């Protein structure tokens, strides 16, 4: 099996058109170009992407969180449909949580469609627990959102947890033929 390079990058203005294309492919146009520009410009927003120079798509996945007080509020986690179930979502979630930890944030939260079992399973794998439900949260179909929380990311043991997650993530990516690096 050939190994393909996969690079984690902070997304910038030069990635904006690729971000919009990925948003359209994953969410049907959830956010506008202006909304993503605000994310890029905001000092309280972290927007990361997984890029493969050999893919015709380029931006394979992206994730975003807002730093709100001591919390990382994950707002976006998207993997291009052609690249799902290859460990890219896992790599992106790991990277978001590692970045949140390195930024001194104490916990992470997100909302996920109640019907999205794949995403819910991934979040639970990384220690997220269900904290509640937002009824009718999704405007497109009125579906409920589960509120998930992960606490204690400044706990002295959390770096060991990150190491374990990195090993699991690297192994999963390798099974799909990816070599993961951060830039």
């Amino acid at each position: 099996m050939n190994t393909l390079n996969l690079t984690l990058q902070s997304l910038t203005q030069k990635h904006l058109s690729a971000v919009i294309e990925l948003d359209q492919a994953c969410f049907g146009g959830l956010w506008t170009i202006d909304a993503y520009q605000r994310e890029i410009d905001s000092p309280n927003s972290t927007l990361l992407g997984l890029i493969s120079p050999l893919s015709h798509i380029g931006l394979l996945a992206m994730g975003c969180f807002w730093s709100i007080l001591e919390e990382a509020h994950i707002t976006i986690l998207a993997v291009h449909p052609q690249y799902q179930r290859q460990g890219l979502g896992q790599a992106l979630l790991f990277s978001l949580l590692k970045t949140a930890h390195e930024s001194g944030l104490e916990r992470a939260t997100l909302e996920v469609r109640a019907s999205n079992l794949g995403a819910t399973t991934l979040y639970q794998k990384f220690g997220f627990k269900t904290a509640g439900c937002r009824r009718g949260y999704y405007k497109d179909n009125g579906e409920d959102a589960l509120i998930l929380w992960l606490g204690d990311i400044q706990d002295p043991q959390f770096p060991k947890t990150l190491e374990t997650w990195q090993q699991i993530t690297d192994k999963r990516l390798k099974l799909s033929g990816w070599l993961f690096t951060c830039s």
Side-chain angles (χ1 to χ4, degrees):
M1 177 189 311
N2 291 334
T3 302
L4 301 171
N5 289 332
L6 185 64
T7 304
L8 177 76
Q9 295 181 10
S10 289
L11 298 178
T12 65
Q13 176 75 34
K14 74 178 184 179
H15 300 107
L16 206 49
S17 64
V19 166
I20 292 299
E21 287 176 29
L22 184 58
D23 178 285
Q24 188 64 41
C26 294
F27 305 120
L30 180 66
W31 286 2
T32 65
I33 195 166
D34 290 338
Y36 281 110
Q37 184 64 57
R38 281 191 299 275
E39 297 307 313
I40 289 168
D41 294 341
S42 173
N44 296 324
S45 183
T46 299
L47 183 60
L48 302 176
L50 292 176
I51 297 172
S52 178
L54 298 178
S55 168
H56 68 283
I57 294 173
L59 180 61
L60 307 182
M62 66 179 169
C64 181
F65 73 79
W66 297 336
S67 299
I68 303 172
L69 301 174
E70 61 278 338
E71 176 185 306
H73 185 97
I74 298 172
T75 57
I76 293 280
L77 187 71
V79 177
H80 192 282
Q82 291 181 15
Y83 292 93
Q84 291 178 356
R85 302 200 189 330
Q86 296 181 28
L88 277 65
Q90 186 172 319
L92 200 51
L93 182 57
F94 164 77
S95 299
L96 289 169
L97 293 173
K98 183 175 187 237
T99 302
H101 170 76
E102 290 169 350
S103 300
L105 300 174
E106 296 178 13
R107 61 189 160 274
T109 187
L110 57 89
E111 290 90 10
V112 62
R113 286 183 187 271
S115 66
N116 192 341
L117 290 179
T120 304
T121 300
L122 173 64
Y123 298 133
Q124 289 171 345
K125 183 178 187 177
F126 278 78
F128 281 85
K129 305 285 186 223
T130 302
C133 179
R134 296 193 197 283
R135 302 270 178 229
Y137 183 77
Y138 291 96
K139 307 246 183 289
D140 61 340
N141 64 0
E143 185 175 354
D144 296 345
L146 298 177
I147 304 165
L148 303 182
W149 280 88
L150 174 67
D152 300 326
I153 62 176
Q154 288 306 313
D155 185 277
Q157 294 302 312
F158 196 73
K160 287 187 190 289
T161 301
L162 284 172
E163 285 178 28
T164 301
W165 288 345
Q166 182 166 14
Q167 291 168 2
I168 291 167
T169 299
D170 289 346
K171 185 176 179 181
R172 173 65 183 98
L173 289 169
K174 191 177 281 187
L175 283 173
S176 296
W178 295 106
L179 178 63
F180 180 48
T181 56
C182 299
S183 69

